[in-house]
Amino acid sequence: SEDLGLVDSEPNYMFAAVLGSGVYRVEDATLTTVRIPFSKSLREFTDEDDGVTLLLPVTVGYVSLDPDDLIDKWLPTELGTLSFIPGIEYQHAVNEELVLKPFAQLGAGYDFENDILSGLVVGGGRALWTKQVTNEWQIQLGSSLQWAAGWQEGDGPSSSFGLFELGADFRRDLPICIGEKQLNGSVFGRWRQFINDWNIAHTPNDPINIDALYELGISVGVNEAYDIYGMQLSRLSIAYVWGEGTKAVSFGMGFPF
């Protein structure tokens, strides 16, 4: 949309809190996000006991609205937004294969370019089904239903959306070890449906909405996680994301359920 180049375009910075790390191309805008999922276990999740985790994610985001500035589009030189949305996640094992994970988060984000402070709230639940098919093969199916809302200080605009997700991950152990940790690889896919079209950026005459995103990716990991400054790192992933008027390369730390 040519309108995205106008001075009075208003990108919706809620994307930075929910999309995950990656470089997203939406119409003429390029959205870059980096999400660092800090967390702390308050009660360890085991086969016998439910778990409680303190969520402490930090997200930085940047949007380029100039389709002619290639350097600025792909290599942002200044911080656009910074958000911190702490919360609580509860883990409950329904049986040996199915885990439910309700969660709630409340925090804030700051838009450095426009000097705007926004409140952000996210809540919902995830479900993860894991099946060990053989000694080497594992299948995981995941789903989530969540709602997110943001509002700006003063009389600024507010927005919200619902999100439903489905995903599948097919993982296999590899005959390679890193120290005492065995390496594994996977292919995965995810479908994200926005229950009401998500207005990711808007102008006076031409809103840009996203109704669905599709994702295919690969990942590599180890059987036991590394603890790195409050992050449990057991795998790294890269994926291609697409939807109507949208394409992206996303990065993550494994199957997002």
Side-chain angles (χ1 to χ4, degrees), residues 21-225:
S21 299
V23 179
Y24 296 80
R25 187 89 167 98
V26 184
E27 300 290 345
D28 288 334
T30 296
L31 316 174
T32 303
T33 69
V34 177
R35 186 175 187 272
I36 308 172
F38 292 117
S39 65
K40 180 177 178 57
S41 176
L42 301 180
R43 186 168 70 197
E44 185 177 359
F45 177 55
T46 67
D47 294 337
E48 294 79 24
D49 298 317
D50 292 349
V52 179
T53 300
L54 179 63
L55 306 175
L56 301 166
V58 175
T59 306
V60 296
Y62 177 84
V63 61
S64 171
L65 297 176
D66 185 354
D68 298 320
D69 189 344
L70 297 179
I71 295 178
D72 183 56
K73 181 184 299 182
W74 296 107
L75 296 173
T77 57
E78 60 185 40
L79 183 65
T81 64
L82 175 67
S83 65
F84 176 57
I85 315 178
I88 291 288
E89 179 185 78
Y90 185 82
Q91 301 106 29
H92 171 71
V94 177
N95 52 45
E96 293 181 353
E97 298 175 344
L98 180 61
V99 178
L100 301 181
K101 304 177 182 180
F103 68 95
Q105 297 170 248
L106 176 64
Y110 186 72
D111 177 353
F112 289 89
E113 182 178 355
N114 297 304
D115 191 23
I116 295 174
L117 180 66
S118 300
L120 300 167
V121 60
V122 185
R126 302 182 181 93
L128 180 63
W129 179 82
T130 304
K131 179 68 174 181
Q132 194 70 39
V133 180
T134 68
N135 290 335
E136 297 178 335
W137 281 97
Q138 181 189 86
I139 297 175
Q140 288 188 312
L141 301 177
S143 67
S144 81
L145 181 63
Q146 51 188 294
W147 174 79
W151 61 95
Q152 295 181 1
E153 60 183 340
D155 297 326
S158 62
S159 60
S160 65
F161 59 85
L163 174 62
F164 176 68
E165 299 180 294
L166 284 176
D169 179 85
F170 302 90
R171 186 178 308 176
R172 189 187 191 280
D173 289 340
L174 302 175
I176 303 172
C177 291
I178 300 178
E180 298 181 353
K181 300 179 186 291
Q182 184 170 9
L183 196 68
N184 54 62
S186 80
V187 295
F188 65 90
R190 178 166 49 153
W191 165 53
R192 285 182 277 185
Q193 180 68 49
F194 294 93
I195 297 174
N196 52 313
D197 285 356
W198 179 19
N199 178 216
I200 198 167
H202 59 86
T203 65
N205 301 315
D206 187 11
I208 295 178
N209 295 316
I210 292 180
D211 61 350
L213 292 175
Y214 307 92
E215 181 177 4
L216 285 176
I218 58 174
S219 72
V220 293
V222 292
N223 56 350
E224 295 181 11

